[in-house]
Amino acid sequence: MSVQHITVLGATGSVGASTLDVVARHPDRYRVFALTANQRVDELAALCRRFVPAHAVLGTAADAARLRELLAGLPVEISHGQQALADVASADPVDAVMAAIVGAAGLAPTLAAARRGKRILLANKESLVMAGELFMAACREAGAVVLPIDSEHNAVFQCLPPAAQSRQAALAAGGVRRILLTASGGPFRRLTLDQMRAVSPDDACAHPNWRMGRKISVDSATMMNKGLEVIEAHHLFGLPSQRLEVVVHPQSVIHSLVEYLDGSMLAQLGNPDMRTPIAHALAYPERVDSGVAPLDLFRVAQLDFEPPDTRRFPSLRLAREALDAGGGAACVLNAANEIAVAAFLDRRIGFTQIADLVEHVMQSLAGAPGCASIDAAIALDAEARSLAGQGVVARAA
Ligand code: NDP
Ligand code: MG
């Protein structure tokens, strides 16, 4: 077995930490080539001392200089900025890239890795939502294998016929009828719209089953996360919107299901811990220990299912509308959502205004053409952010 060299984009985040936890359990299999962060210098310094990567990347020159001081004497090459992220994601020695930057900022370095044919462990769903066609085409052309890290998509991947795991066309031949993505329903599953108007950022980040970064936690609370995941599933597995069902399953034990023509449904179950999908993707097609305790079915005892309520969770409806509209609509949805979530976390707008703002920006940019290039995607993303920013000011006033 040869050692795999890994770049972890977004090493200081929640997925980054789970990745490094799994990597550290298997020093004979994995070596860290590069670790990246945006601005948490001390956290990245601690990870560099532990894993001694060949490269470390931060957002700014000033932060990179601070990291150099902190790591004086260690053989870690330190750089900063977008080009450095793309370089450590696509460098020759790299076998696999964990794409765990949050938001649209993850697109460029992940695409750079795809274009060099790297194995992509894809957590950064926003890059697929923003430019799914472009990204999947780049992977096909360069022969890059994409292994989904998002727990639902990883579950689907595990339940697909093996031939369909690498080739969308094989889904039909393999008898797949539908994909069912499970959703916990988030912390506000039982709240009325009125009650949701008063919730705080900390309420929204208190997810019942998962510990995650703050942006995706708010997305789970609005259920935009599930909407983004429907779009993500469309790009990964090639099914149209109407064959991608969402099922609210509050226990988060079944991570998703695949329904076949003969009436069979295959599901993947496990404790809600990201180290399972991460270990699956790192070792694929082998299996390794992830550190996750086996699921105790007697303690779980009961599994519940209910349909999603798009009246109380309009973000889910908006994401489907974006997928159905095609063109640049999903890119606009994603950008507006990132601005709206950041404004909510800064207490500049209320929780229910997140979806209002996204809908407003989608209407303003309706009919935006699809993103044929990364520059086009970045330009449309910027336009939607700017409109959303104006919307925040108007609502905060
Ligand atoms: P976190 O907020 O915990 O971590 C984000 C990481 O990205 C940090 O390392 C951060 O650096 C870095 N980062 C943020 N902005 C930038 C930027 N502009 N340029 C470069 N790096 C940046 O996020 P999560 O780990 O929760 O999520 C990461 C991705 O994985 C998201 O796309 C999310 O949707 C997806 N995902 C996460 C799951 C989870 O369980 N957390 C589950 C499924 C998917 P710094 O620390 O310096 O700010
Ligand atoms: Mg998920």
Side-chain angles (χ1 to χ4, degrees):
M1 179 183 58
S2 61
V3 172
Q4 272 195 65
H5 293 85
I6 317 270
T7 283
V8 183
L9 301 171
T12 47
S14 157
V15 172
S18 294
T19 303
L20 291 170
D21 183 281
V22 178
V23 162
R25 290 168 194 273
H26 304 282
D28 52 326
R29 282 179 170 260
Y30 309 114
R31 196 145 306 148
V32 178
F33 174 78
L35 295 175
T36 85
N38 189 31
Q39 36 90 24
R40 280 190 273 183
V41 184
D42 294 332
E43 286 82 348
L44 187 61
L47 294 176
C48 287
R49 285 189 203 101
R50 183 160 172 222
F51 292 94
V52 196
H55 294 266
V57 182
L58 278 161
T60 65
D63 282 342
R66 250 198 75 215
L67 187 64
R68 268 183 216 107
E69 280 168 26
L70 291 170
L71 297 183
L74 270 190
V76 181
E77 198 162 310
I78 297 162
S79 49
H80 72 274
Q82 277 289 323
Q83 187 56 50
L85 288 176
D87 290 346
V88 297
S90 58
D92 282 340
V94 175
D95 300 299
V97 174
M98 168 55 76
I101 290 176
V102 60
L107 174 63
T110 310
L111 194 58
R115 286 181 170 151
R116 288 296 293 276
K118 304 299 185 192
R119 178 186 271 231
I120 312 280
L121 281 45
L122 189 70
N124 174 230
K125 66 191 85 184
E126 294 93 342
S127 58
L128 268 187
V129 172
M130 191 179 167
E133 275 96 12
L134 183 74
F135 183 82
M136 295 307 287
C139 291
R140 275 193 299 277
E141 274 160 35
V145 172
V146 182
L147 295 163
I149 293 298
D150 215 344
S151 56
E152 296 76 5
H153 306 73
N154 184 272
V156 169
F157 184 92
Q158 295 196 45
C159 296
L160 285 177
Q165 290 178 336
S166 57
R167 215 163 47 88
Q168 289 183 349
L171 249 71
V176 172
R177 185 152 56 194
R178 286 189 311 161
I179 285 172
L180 292 90
L181 300 175
T182 51
S184 68
F188 306 145
R189 182 170 60 93
R190 291 264 173 256
L191 261 49
T192 64
L193 261 177
D194 249 359
Q195 288 170 320
M196 279 189 238
R197 280 184 235 286
V199 300
S200 73
D202 284 345
D203 297 333
C205 291
H207 196 279
N209 306 338
W210 299 92
R211 295 284 151 268
M212 310 181 285
R214 283 172 82 78
K215 191 266 178 181
I216 184 176
S217 296
V218 175
D219 284 347
S220 299
T222 58
M223 289 194 76
M224 178 59 91
N225 184 49
K226 212 49 53 181
L228 299 178
E229 290 184 357
V230 169
I231 301 173
E232 181 184 14
H234 165 76
H235 291 298
L236 285 173
F237 307 120
L239 289 187
S241 173
Q242 64 275 17
R243 289 168 68 194
L244 298 165
E245 182 91 67
V246 172
V247 179
V248 176
H249 162 50
Q251 291 90 357
S252 296
V253 163
I254 296 182
H255 297 306
S256 279
L257 311 95
V258 175
E259 181 187 292
Y260 286 85
L261 290 176
D262 61 7
S264 299
M265 261 192 191
L266 301 192
Q268 186 258 1
L269 285 73
N271 281 315
D273 187 320
M274 287 306 291
R275 291 177 301 172
T276 293
I278 289 167
H280 170 265
L282 275 171
Y284 180 80
E286 293 170 26
R287 298 269 179 177
V288 294
D289 175 33
S290 63
V292 177
L295 181 65
D296 182 344
L297 285 174
F298 298 115
R299 268 187 72 183
V300 173
Q302 189 179 334
L303 299 174
D304 295 311
F305 306 98
E306 55 192 64
D309 178 354
T310 50
R311 195 190 57 83
R312 285 183 305 129
F313 298 99
S315 293
L316 189 53
R317 166 180 61 79
L318 294 174
R320 274 210 194 267
E321 285 173 12
L323 176 57
D324 295 340
C331 178
V332 170
L333 167 96
N334 180 65
N337 181 58
E338 285 191 32
I339 295 294
V341 170
F344 167 69
L345 285 170
D346 281 350
R347 297 176 184 274
R348 299 181 69 204
I349 63 172
F351 181 77
T352 54
Q353 287 178 306
I354 296 173
D356 288 349
L357 187 54
V358 172
E359 183 154 33
H360 165 75
V361 176
M362 282 175 69
Q363 282 166 356
S364 306
L365 291 176
C371 304
S373 67
I374 184 162
D375 289 343
I378 290 170
L380 183 57
D381 174 83
E383 193 180 353
R385 278 169 198 272
S386 156
L387 273 175
Q390 292 165 24
V392 169
V393 173
R395 281 165 180 76

